[in-house]
């Protein structure tokens, strides 16, 4: 299975439009020891012909143009090698890009019922995906129940997904009343992909790590894990207000309960942080935090990174 | 008044993600006699310090990064020289970018009540602009009633806007039932800007041109007019189905009733087409259509174009 990282930043991207934290400021000045990143987005394919997007970032138009295998072939005026999208949540940075996949193109969308309801029932914008009958073909995903990715023609690709529920809640834009009407375990999922016996874990947002996941991850070839924040109070210190990393659904990388510590015994898979917030000090390749991460055997995902699983 | 064209394409941009029409195909091949364009977006400023966005395109994150005067200053961790946004409609390509201006930044949004209701009442995504009390400060705009652009601190900028109703309807994603509950004249507006006696007309989407507008436009220094389609059946010929240009709210450029003909007597202002669809043959600078446009004294807006009005 081919895995292309089209974007590796958290919501807002790096740099973020209204941010002049040390990282964003130095990046714009051209003095930053590191790289810009667009918002987290994967594309996967079993054969290099039929592609599936994992999440749908707000930067998707530019991410598609930057990766020629996702361009339309020239044998039809309207066409795309993108057959479907798998959503892990209804967060704006994970789902807004669906609205960029308009223009009457048929598309399979794999999402939990909870995520679909938040998007489609609560946002009339999604009418742009109903311009043609059978344009967006929603397929319900249930945590714990594996499913196979199929082409728009209904052919199996050989890629299998196992969705797992995370402890993250519905996004901040969903009111508490609305959230309470939706299945709690469907708010946010992680994905274990399998193709021809090879495995990839994609867990871009999770405040906790289940012991059962650790066992699953040990059998994977690679893991792309939540690298949003270094510390639990990172945004509060910069903004002066707000929620902790864990309250926002993210396990911090550093600290005694962080992911470096939690995964310290992990031997098998290639370990890669993704969904990295613009404020995270580990983005700076001259920082102590970056040294800690690499010393622990982790890599940072970057736009354009490719894995073959 | 400084006017920066951050984007000049119609919805979907040029190239468009799923399009392999002649223009998109040749552009991707590197053999096109013309230029890529992101989705239509203006930024205006009276003093070069306080900026206002005219519409909010889905490409806004990249458009802001490409224009350093819109970057945050470095004296505060979260900051922006963008004080407000003026919306001409609730079309996805004109309004989706509002959701990219999240991250707790205060912002004035000038829009008709009808446009505000379609966006905010019908799309829970807009909760991202309510993270802080008084974050998005909506100011009602009524066609025919002029208003002044004010900074977030409430100071006048000296820029005045006269909104005018167009004949365009609410966007295709708004159901007929919902549309019928909204003020018809508030679906889509054009804007006449005035600063220190100088004037700019911005009419990016209109199926017809009022005689009264022609009089107003004659007094302008420049006009940015709807250049979406060359011919009324342009999309139908490419897609095999769909609506005419006029049904989509756009006067075609060519033909006996097109804008070249309609504005043929216009002498005063600099004449510029904007909101140009990827399929429009006039994008090809080697085409007959491009020659007709330039022979008639019109220019095509491009990303990065600047006007001083």
């Amino acid at each position: 299975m081919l895995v292309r990282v089209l974007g590796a930043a958290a919501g807002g991207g790096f740099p973020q439009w209204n941010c002049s934290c040390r990282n964003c400021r130095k990046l714009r000045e051209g003095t930053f020891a590191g790289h810009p990143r667009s918002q987290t987005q994967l594309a996967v394919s079993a054969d290099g012909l039929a592609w599936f997007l994992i999440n749908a970032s707000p930067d998707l138009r530019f991410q598609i143009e930057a990766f020629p295998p996702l361009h339309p072939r020239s044998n039809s005026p309207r066409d795309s090698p993108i057959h479907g999208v798998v959503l892990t949540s209804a967060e704006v940075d994970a789902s807004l890009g669906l609205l960029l996949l308009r223009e009457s193109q048929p598309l399979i969308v794999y999402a939990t019922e909870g995520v679909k309801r938040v998007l489609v029932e609560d946002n009339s914008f999604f009418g742009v995906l109903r311009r043609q009958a059978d344009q967006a073909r929603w397929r319900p995903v249930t945590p714990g129940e594996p499913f196979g990715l199929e082409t728009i023609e209904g052919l199996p690709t050989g890629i299998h997904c196992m969705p797992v529920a995370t402890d993250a809640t519905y996004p901040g834009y969903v009111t508490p009343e609305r959230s309470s009407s939706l299945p709690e375990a469907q708010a946010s999922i992680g994905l274990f992909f399998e193709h021809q016996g090879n495995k990839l874990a994609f867990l871009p947002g999770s405040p906790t790590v289940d012991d059962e996941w650790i066992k699953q991850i040990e059998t994977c070839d690679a893991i792309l894990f939540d690298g949003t924040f270094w510390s639990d109070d990172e945004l509060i210190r910069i903004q002066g207000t707000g929620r902790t990393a864990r309250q926002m659904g993210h396990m911090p990388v550093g600290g005694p309960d962080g992911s470096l510590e939690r995964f310290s015994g992990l031997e098998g898979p290639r370990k890669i942080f993704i969904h990295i917030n613009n404020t995270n000090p580990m983005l700076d390749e001259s920082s102590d935090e970056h040294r800690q991460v690499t010393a622990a055997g982790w890599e940072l995902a970057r736009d354009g990174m490719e894995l073959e699983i």
Side-chain angles (χ1 to χ4, degrees), chain A:
Chain A
M1 183 171 77
L2 303 167
V3 181
R4 173 88 177 192
V5 177
L6 300 176
F14 178 50
Q16 179 181 300
W17 78 285
N18 68 335
C19 190
S20 58
C21 73
R22 185 178 173 283
N23 287 353
C24 288
R25 191 174 70 245
K26 288 176 79 78
L27 186 72
R28 289 197 183 97
E29 286 169 1
T31 60
F32 187 69
H35 303 272
R37 285 166 170 84
S38 62
Q39 292 168 86
T40 291
Q41 179 68 50
L42 301 184
V44 303
S45 178
D47 61 5
L49 297 172
W51 288 87
F52 293 81
L53 301 176
I54 314 303
N55 283 335
S57 113
D59 296 334
L60 200 44
R61 186 171 109 71
F62 294 87
Q63 292 168 329
I64 289 172
E65 284 310 315
F67 188 49
L70 299 184
H71 295 177
R73 292 154 302 188
S74 53
N75 55 356
S76 159
R78 291 293 164 93
D79 174 77
S80 176
I82 299 170
H83 290 247
V85 182
V86 188
L87 297 180
T88 63
S89 79
E91 293 287 350
V92 165
D93 71 322
S95 64
L96 194 70
L98 271 184
L99 298 172
L100 308 181
L101 301 176
R102 59 199 198 283
E103 318 295 355
S104 305
Q105 188 69 35
L107 202 68
I108 302 165
V109 187
Y110 300 90
T112 67
E113 270 298 305
V115 165
K116 179 189 172 184
R117 289 177 61 193
V118 165
L119 297 178
V120 174
E121 293 179 10
D122 301 354
N123 289 280
S124 68
F125 274 153
F126 283 87
V128 299
L129 300 183
R130 291 190 294 266
R131 296 281 288 278
Q132 307 291 326
D134 213 20
Q135 181 180 342
R137 304 168 191 186
W138 293 82
R139 300 280 167 83
V141 167
T142 306
E145 296 182 11
F147 60 96
L149 297 185
E150 290 189 352
T151 67
I152 201 81
E153 298 85 11
L155 301 173
T157 60
I159 299 175
H160 299 276
C161 293
M162 169 59 90
V164 295
T166 78
D167 285 340
T169 57
Y170 286 95
Y173 69 80
V174 181
T175 64
E177 299 71 42
R178 179 54 164 157
S179 286
S180 68
S181 77
L182 299 166
E184 204 177 322
Q186 295 192 358
S188 162
I189 59 172
L191 295 166
F192 288 88
F193 293 92
E194 186 272 324
H195 180 247
Q196 296 182 340
N198 302 315
K199 292 201 248 175
L200 169 74
F202 179 59
L203 300 160
S206 185
T208 55
V209 170
D210 203 279
D211 285 337
E212 182 52 38
W213 292 7
I214 298 269
K215 279 187 223 160
Q216 283 297 320
I217 292 166
E218 271 292 6
T219 71
C220 286
D221 297 275
I223 172 171
L224 289 160
F225 189 76
D226 185 344
T228 313
F229 297 112
W230 182 265
S231 48
D232 204 34
D233 64 348
E234 188 165 315
L235 268 198
I236 298 171
R237 275 186 291 122
I238 285 178
Q239 296 185 154
T241 167
R243 296 178 297 163
T244 65
R246 282 197 174 78
Q247 284 168 352
M248 295 171 75
H250 301 291
M251 174 180 264
V253 173
D257 302 321
S259 47
L260 284 186
E261 180 63 30
R262 185 74 174 98
F263 287 114
S264 60
L266 197 64
E267 295 289 339
R270 186 173 167 186
K271 298 176 289 188
I272 304 166
F273 283 119
I274 196 166
H275 197 266
I276 308 169
N277 201 55
N278 60 299
T279 54
N280 192 325
M282 74 183 181
L283 284 170
D284 181 345
E285 295 172 11
S286 68
S287 69
D288 279 345
E289 291 84 354
H290 191 265
R291 272 188 291 276
Q292 284 184 56
V293 164
T294 52
W298 285 81
E299 301 167 68
L300 302 192
R302 274 178 59 182
D303 295 18
M305 188 183 216
E306 286 193 351
L307 311 176
E308 215 173 314
I309 302 288

